[in-house]
Amino acid sequence: MQPFTYSKAATSDDVIAALTGEGVQLIAGGTTLFDLMKLGIEQPRRIVDVSGIGGLDEVTLGPNELVFGALASMTDVASSPALQENYPVLAESLLKAASQQLRNMATVGGNLLQRTRCNYFRNGAMYACNKRNPGSGCAALGGVDRGHALLGGSEACIAVYPGDWAVALTALNASVDTQSPRGLRSIPLADLYRLPGQTPDRDTELAADEMILRIRVPAASYGRASTYHKIRDRESYAFALVSAAVMLDLDGDRVRAAHIALGGVATRPWRAPQAEALLTGQTLTPARALDAGRAAFEGATAGHHNAFKIELGARAVADALMIAQQRSTGQ
Amino acid sequence: MTDTLFPAATGTMGQPERRYEAREKVTGSAAYASDVKLARTAHAYLVTSSIGRGRLQSFDLTAARALPGVIDILTHETIGDEIRQTPSIYGGGYMADTLRPLGSAEIAHWGQPVAMVVAETYEAAREAANLVVVSYAAEVAPVAGMGSSVATGQALDPMGFAVGDFDTAYRTANVTVDANYTTPAQHQNPMELFATQCVWEAGRLTVHEPSQYVNNVKFGLAAQLGLDPSRIRVISTYVGGAFGAKGFLTHRTALVAVAARRIGRPVKLVPTRAQGFTVSGYRAETRHHVQLAATQDGRLTALRHEGWEVTSRADTVAMGAVSMTARLYACPNITARVNVVAADRSTPGFMRAPGEMPYAFAMETALDELAHKLQMDPVALRRVNDTQTEPVGGLPYTSRSLMLCFDTAAAAFGWQGRPSEPATMRDGDWQVGWGCATAFYPTHAGNSAARVRLSADGRVHVESAGHELGQGMYTMMAQVAAEELGVPIAQVTVALGDTDLPPAVVAGGSSSTASVAPAIMAACDAIRRRLGIATGVPADVMPAMEASGLGTIEEFTEVRAHGTAPDSLRGLYRGMALPAGGVHLPDRVQFALGAQFVEVRVHRRTREIRVPRVIGAFAAGRIINPRTAHGQLVGGMIWGIGSALHEHSEIDTRNASYINANLADYLVPVNADVADVQAIMVEEEDRLVNRAGVKGVGEIGVVGVAAAISNAIFHATGIRVRDLPIRIEHLM
């Protein structure tokens, strides 16, 4: 195997110093990096273990914002009763992801950087893949594309962003605090993930020497009116065929503001502003919820095997909206 | 789990003894093939073809050879003639397919081993394998599978048959069904990978490999390597799941043996999960055309079942279970045919209920379509067509308790009062449906030998080269000897899975207990005769043993199974003990039968499918151990859920490759998909099938579940899905 060095960082400053080298990868829970190394996708020369950095696993659910340290485990965040009670969309997006064993190891910061599950990306050099091997082409186009993107794809890549947590965070206008040699900055999640365009090898706007420290979510008094609705081929331990992260600011039956994001169908966590706009100021009914769901998929481009997700996705959004409404009135 | 799950020992039920090897397995001390520690082991890693059809042009091994730790690289150019071309099991040989391992530059399928790297560590071998540069010539696109080439399928005439006049009966019938069904490629994916370790000592080869037939590996390898079989020993103490994938000799074993001989060190190969998709055989995709005709009161007047199966270009393999689906119900006019479609794929093989699962899906769904057309209860339709004489050859069933199974399962399920119209049951946003289907599996047995030793201190040792696949072979062997000699089971030790032991049948066709139990019984008889004790009645042999003054009595016996050729016992000693019986007997047919009942829920809008309840009742003759039998039946039924809703080896037709060859993307049911699964064992006595009265339960549990689920989905939604796996998009 390709040899690599392993070191453990004590502070984020250590990490940033290390990141200036070539071929450095950070490791926290290790649930995705080792997998990608075994597949030959990631070939780091140096692995820096960030899991021992103090203070980065803290979670604060404050009156103005929620702050999740990047090193908090998925399990710890998901099992917070306060989060389950006040922001079910966030807790559910974690609980419906992966398996208990993976959630115990994986961190909420690392989770954001999970790479696509596109089989052509993962299955090695025998397939053309612009994300893995820039310029080689895209085998998913014209291939088995049931799991591929209907939204945000390009002629270079239709790989789906596979995660759940980032979809929920996107719906809630979250951002990440990062550190690099250039200092600290904040990146809205909506800007963190790139569309593939002609350069699908770059998943995010994160620089090679930049590390996520924490995730910030603006607090919402109406966070209870939310859900993460995930439709999959089996009950657990499966990636989303389609998912809808929804949070509603309601005034009685009337929608003041709707937050809607889609997972499993787009090349990045996908906000659906046209669906949100359609609901703003309107009374929420099942019919209007379905209209919003359909609006969320306007412009969707189906491949050979995934066209059903346009209708399924619309229905998932509609159901998610009705669940969120029910939770709002159920208090 | 408590013991109350298992039937008490009454009638045809034996004791639910705890697993013989439970402690070893639970504590992790059970050494599977890859756990065996051999000094100075080198590690191998396969390089497999990335094209589906063509030729190897060249290898560039420079970078791989330069990697520290690399010892040897085998390719068709470097291996020489060390491995001979030998026939497959379909041609009277031992191999799972007819290709010669690293035999030429020809690429017959994606995933074909083209090189094997041997290195000091697994990691170095893997890295070097990644550095092997293979150049291919691929001028012709591969044929990936059935595609639209069904029309060019080749009929296998010996598998077809007809009785009566189907065409006239069908044309003149009151009510008919005419439908096509498909099932996808599936892979067994046993938890334990396809490990092999080989070590040479003084010209003798020892192979550690998980196997369903250790003597197949021994004699097949001897033929491939030109060795005297007596110089080869194959050991398979525990097998971590097999399901047909570990039945017959694959390419890897000879490669590892040759590598170990070349470098003079033990070599260990553990192919990856993805490589496992083409290392061994699999369940090929199938298509079915079923036509049924019936009178208004539901009596079948015509039945036609034609199947198409994908095979490789090298081998013509077909499971052809029309021989069974045509023998389930009384019907005077039957026609059946089997076809194969040759594709550029690895040779298919056996996977739990190999033909029965897909062919039952087609036939039992068609029966449900007929019941709906007749506005008849599906159970009543089976009752009207129940028979004690099979309709093709007019032969008697040795025993047939099908309707007892239906009535038992229906009562447990609460089937009575089911509305006949579909899409009428509802629970909130969920449409609810109930479906049922017949389960069946032919009763097989093969020739086997056993040795039993009784010591003066009351200890008993039982030996037979059967196989512990997780199904309970150790426990069964101990139980039979304990019962026959009247000693406590705690005093019995068992050895199996080793070619140095008395040979036994392949662990396939649900035949292990039916084959090996009679051999153990015969050896115990011989001991009893030595002691002057009558056979066939319960007795404690120890008083006679003490009176005899003997230290040890040891008896070796071989038993020929009903339906095997008179000279077939010789084959037992050449790795050729295959199961016989089922529908291939001149005087009778032998089936285990059962009834599967399923409740499904389909979400009104998102069309998610849930299976809250599966209840099966099975009549399989004598059950020696209700605990292990229960495990097999419930496991099979869960497989049935997977076969209906999840399992699908997805093929990219451009290079005929499997693109979901891992357990994250090849879906099987997880705990959350499995709610209430109940297996009921119906009392049945069959003195004809074999001396033990055992029909076997390894495979029947999976049969019929997919049809019952598809029928229940129709009942829930009014949508008939004829293609597996059934997914959300089918119901949108």
Side-chain angles (χ1 to χ4, degrees):
Chain A
M1 63 180 293
Q2 177 175 304
F4 60 87
T5 63
Y6 169 89
S7 61
K8 213 163 159 118
T11 67
S12 59
D13 291 343
D14 290 354
V15 176
I16 300 311
L19 276 173
T20 54
E22 281 287 297
V24 185
Q25 280 285 356
L26 306 188
I27 190 165
T31 56
T32 193
L33 181 63
F34 289 148
D35 188 28
L36 294 170
M37 285 170 70
K38 283 189 271 189
L39 292 168
I41 294 170
E42 298 288 356
Q43 297 181 319
R45 300 193 174 283
R46 188 165 170 202
I47 288 181
V48 179
D49 186 343
V50 299
S51 63
I53 298 176
L56 281 188
D57 60 352
E58 284 172 11
V59 175
T60 317
L61 308 181
N64 298 318
E65 66 174 0
L66 324 178
V67 183
F68 302 96
L71 293 178
S73 77
M74 289 173 72
T75 294
D76 284 348
V77 174
S79 56
S80 154
L83 194 74
Q84 291 176 0
E85 173 75 15
N86 297 315
Y87 298 91
V89 61
L90 293 176
E92 287 169 358
S93 76
L94 292 166
L95 279 172
K96 292 181 180 179
S99 65
Q100 185 67 58
Q101 293 88 337
L102 288 165
R103 293 192 296 268
N104 289 345
M105 290 302 294
T107 63
V108 294
N111 179 283
L112 297 179
L113 303 179
Q114 181 180 13
R115 304 202 71 187
T116 185
R117 297 292 307 186
C118 171
N119 281 315
Y120 298 101
F121 168 74
R122 290 172 59 85
N123 278 355
M126 76 181 79
Y127 298 112
C129 176
N130 289 320
K131 193 181 273 297
R132 180 170 177 154
N133 183 13
S136 62
C138 174
L141 292 165
V144 180
D145 59 9
R146 185 170 181 267
H148 286 80
L150 302 105
L151 295 162
S154 69
E155 65 272 30
C157 182
I158 53 170
V160 154
Y161 174 78
D164 300 298
W165 169 236
V167 175
L169 291 172
T170 296
L172 271 56
N173 299 323
S175 59
V176 290
D177 293 350
T178 70
Q179 185 179 350
S180 76
R182 295 166 297 286
L184 302 172
R185 68 166 171 160
S186 172
I187 311 173
L189 235 63
D191 299 335
L192 177 66
Y193 295 97
R194 301 178 69 253
L195 287 171
Q198 291 308 307
T199 51
D201 51 309
R202 275 193 65 200
D203 290 351
T204 69
E205 294 292 349
L206 217 56
D209 56 0
E210 193 168 16
M211 174 192 180
I212 295 174
L213 300 179
R214 47 188 73 80
I215 301 160
R216 293 182 192 274
V217 183
S221 58
Y222 48 88
R224 238 177 254 203
S226 73
T227 190
Y228 188 76
H229 199 42
K230 183 175 179 181
I231 313 297
R232 36 193 165 169
D233 280 321
R234 64 181 171 192
E235 272 262 48
S236 179
Y237 190 43
F239 292 91
L241 291 170
V242 57
S243 67
V246 159
M247 182 169 72
L248 288 176
D249 181 4
L250 292 170
D251 177 10
D253 283 346
R254 211 176 55 81
V255 178
R256 251 191 233 111
H259 299 246
I260 303 173
L262 307 175
V265 288
T267 54
R268 65 177 190 184
W270 195 262
R271 195 73 184 257
Q274 66 279 49
E276 294 172 350
L278 195 144
L279 292 171
T280 306
Q282 303 293 318
T283 305
L284 185 62
T285 62
R288 187 157 281 134
L290 191 56
D291 287 344
R294 300 234 157 92
F297 280 83
E298 268 169 29
T301 308
H304 293 282
H305 308 106
N306 58 3
F308 73 99
K309 293 185 184 177
I310 294 175
E311 177 61 21
L312 176 63
R315 294 183 194 179
V317 169
D319 274 12
L321 287 165
M322 300 316 291
I323 292 167
Q325 183 194 42
Q326 210 164 36
R327 285 179 178 170
S328 168
T329 57
Q331 301 170 35
Chain B
M1 231 180 240
T2 66
D3 285 354
T4 55
L5 273 175
F6 310 109
T10 59
T12 58
M13 302 292 156
Q15 292 287 345
E17 298 286 355
R18 287 168 193 280
R19 272 179 197 278
Y20 177 89
E21 77 286 19
R23 180 174 297 274
E24 288 77 4
K25 284 185 172 169
V26 169
T27 59
S29 65
Y32 290 79
S34 71
D35 299 327
V36 174
K37 296 261 187 294
L38 301 169
R40 297 181 64 240
T41 297
H43 298 264
Y45 198 95
L46 293 175
V47 179
T48 59
S49 168
S50 63
I51 65 166
R53 179 177 186 172
R55 284 180 64 80
L56 292 164
Q57 275 188 322
S58 63
F59 288 96
D60 183 348
L61 305 178
T62 318
R65 282 198 171 119
L67 196 77
V70 171
I71 304 167
D72 196 4
I73 302 177
L74 302 184
T75 69
H76 74 282
E77 290 164 342
T78 65
I79 195 171
D81 293 325
E82 294 204 58
I83 303 174
R84 301 176 183 194
Q85 174 80 55
T86 59
S88 76
I89 50 169
Y90 312 103
Y94 298 95
M95 297 288 298
D97 71 294
T98 53
L99 296 179
R100 188 160 70 108
L102 297 183
S104 78
E106 293 296 321
I107 298 298
H109 63 86
W110 178 87
Q112 178 181 324
V114 296
M116 191 174 81
V117 177
V118 184
E120 295 290 344
T121 64
Y122 174 80
E123 289 76 12
R126 180 177 61 192
E127 181 71 10
N130 288 334
L131 292 173
V132 170
V133 181
V134 188
S135 301
Y136 299 98
E139 288 102 11
V140 183
V143 173
M146 201 84 79
S148 55
S149 60
V150 167
T152 62
Q154 172 203 347
L156 301 178
D157 292 333
M159 293 183 120
F161 52 88
V163 293
D165 178 357
F166 170 85
D167 288 337
T168 304
Y170 186 80
R171 203 171 49 240
T172 58
N174 297 116
V175 183
T176 60
V177 166
D178 183 334
N180 292 293
Y181 306 88
T182 68
T183 68
Q186 298 179 336
H187 282 77
Q188 305 89 341
N189 279 310
M191 191 63 80
E192 181 198 26
L193 297 168
F194 295 99
T196 298
Q197 293 204 70
C198 287
V199 56
W200 293 85
E201 287 157 311
R204 293 176 175 274
L205 170 64
T206 303
V207 180
H208 299 272
E209 181 174 299
S211 174
Q212 292 171 255
Y213 195 11
V214 286
N215 276 299
N216 163 275
V217 174
K218 169 177 166 161
F219 286 90
L221 208 49
Q224 283 185 303
L225 301 180
L227 275 179
D228 185 322
S230 68
R231 305 184 85 82
I232 300 178
R233 180 180 180 191
V234 179
I235 299 172
S236 195
T237 313
Y238 303 103
V239 180
F243 313 112
K246 295 165 180 171
F248 299 102
L249 188 59
T250 65
H251 288 210
R252 72 189 196 274
T253 314
L255 295 178
V256 177
V258 166
R261 186 159 64 185
R262 278 163 69 110
I263 69 168
R265 290 170 59 177
V267 173
K268 173 177 178 174
L269 171 71
V270 185
T272 64
R273 175 67 60 192
Q275 290 172 344
F277 273 60
T278 49
V279 158
S280 187
Y282 58 98
R283 196 196 307 279
E285 51 269 46
T286 68
R287 178 178 170 254
H288 306 263
H289 182 206
V290 179
Q291 290 174 294
L292 300 175
T295 59
Q296 285 294 355
D297 61 0
R299 278 179 298 117
L300 285 168
T301 54
L303 180 151
R304 171 194 170 88
H305 192 170
E306 181 162 7
W308 288 259
E309 304 181 33
V310 165
T311 188
S312 66
R313 285 194 197 279
D315 294 284
T316 298
V317 179
M319 299 303 149
V322 293
S323 61
M324 283 160 259
T325 55
R327 286 180 169 90
L328 295 174
Y329 307 108
C331 182
N333 303 292
I334 296 173
T335 183
R337 195 155 83 144
V338 179
N339 311 272
V340 287
V341 177
D344 296 301
R345 297 266 297 282
S346 60
T347 296
F350 304 93
M351 175 164 163
R352 200 175 200 173
E356 293 78 6
M357 194 293 284
Y359 282 76
F361 168 66
M363 180 55 68
E364 291 299 308
T365 307
L367 254 287
D368 199 71
E369 301 202 39
L370 180 63
H372 180 66
K373 275 200 170 175
L374 290 163
Q375 295 188 297
M376 193 170 177
D377 180 90
V379 178
L381 179 62
R382 269 88 177 177
R383 197 184 313 279
V384 165
N385 291 291
D386 192 30
T387 174
Q388 293 295 325
T389 306
E390 61 91 3
V392 177
L395 301 174
Y397 300 88
T398 54
S399 58
R400 175 174 162 117
S401 313
L402 179 64
M403 293 321 297
L404 182 57
C405 292
F406 264 99
D407 293 337
T408 304
F413 187 87
W415 179 262
Q416 205 175 14
R418 168 187 180 268
S420 61
E421 275 308 299
T424 52
M425 296 202 295
R426 180 74 67 83
D427 181 2
D429 279 331
W430 295 86
Q431 295 179 290
V432 179
W434 293 352
C436 66
T438 296
F440 57 90
Y441 196 81
T443 301
H444 296 129
N447 299 339
S448 291
R451 184 186 291 119
V452 178
R453 184 168 68 236
L454 172 67
S455 303
D457 61 3
R459 283 183 299 146
V460 174
H461 185 63
V462 188
E463 296 182 336
S464 180
H467 308 84
E468 176 59 62
L469 314 177
Q471 85 280 45
M473 192 66 173
Y474 281 108
T475 317
M476 181 283 290
M477 288 171 65
Q479 238 175 309
V480 171
E483 185 175 308
E484 293 298 310
L485 297 177
V487 301
I489 191 168
Q491 287 170 221
V492 184
T493 53
V494 177
L496 55 70
D498 183 340
T499 52
D500 278 1
L501 301 173
V505 70
V506 59
S510 297
S511 68
S512 282
T513 301
S515 309
V516 176
I520 296 171
M521 294 165 109
C524 292
D525 282 354
I527 290 173
R528 287 163 67 131
R529 281 195 294 272
R530 292 264 300 270
L531 293 169
I533 301 169
T535 59
V537 290
D540 174 0
V541 298
M542 286 318 291
M545 185 67 183
E546 274 160 38
S548 73
L550 293 168
T552 297
I553 302 178
E554 182 173 284
E555 289 290 346
F556 178 102
T557 54
E558 53 182 30
V559 172
R560 187 161 75 82
H562 182 77
T564 57
D567 62 352
S568 64
L569 274 173
R570 312 251 169 93
L572 177 58
Y573 301 91
R574 291 197 324 268
M576 289 281 178
L578 302 177
V583 297
H584 301 293
L585 300 170
D587 54 338
R588 66 200 202 197
V589 291
Q590 310 178 150
F591 276 103
L593 290 154
Q596 311 270 19
F597 284 71
V598 168
E599 177 175 316
V600 303
R601 287 165 181 245
V602 177
H603 194 272
R604 277 205 303 150
R605 291 179 299 275
T606 59
R607 312 314 269 162
E608 293 158 283
I609 305 162
R610 304 283 183 256
V611 184
R613 289 202 292 152
V614 185
I615 296 181
F618 306 91
R622 182 179 171 206
I623 302 296
I624 287 182
N625 187 324
R627 177 195 300 272
T628 52
H630 178 266
Q632 293 211 73
L633 289 168
V634 168
M637 293 162 78
I638 293 169
W639 265 56
I641 297 173
S643 73
L645 304 178
H646 304 116
E647 293 198 47
H648 181 194
S649 303
E650 297 188 67
I651 297 161
D652 189 311
T653 55
R654 294 169 299 187
N655 63 346
S657 65
Y658 297 113
I659 60 142
N660 64 335
N662 63 78
L663 286 183
D665 297 308
Y666 182 93
L667 300 186
V668 298
V670 296
N671 274 329
D673 296 300
V674 180
D676 182 8
V677 177
Q678 291 180 43
I680 302 167
M681 286 170 262
V682 171
E683 294 267 350
E684 185 183 65
E685 185 171 292
D686 189 326
R687 291 173 176 274
L688 292 172
V689 277
N690 50 64
R691 180 176 166 192
V694 166
K695 289 183 169 179
V697 293
E699 295 168 86
I700 189 171
V702 68
V703 182
V705 177
I709 287 177
S710 119
N711 297 340
I713 286 173
F714 174 76
H715 190 236
T717 65
I719 300 172
R720 180 69 70 180
V721 183
R722 301 184 180 91
D723 306 291
L724 298 181
I726 302 170
R727 286 168 159 176
I728 285 171
E729 55 261 49
H730 290 111
L731 302 174
M732 290 298 291

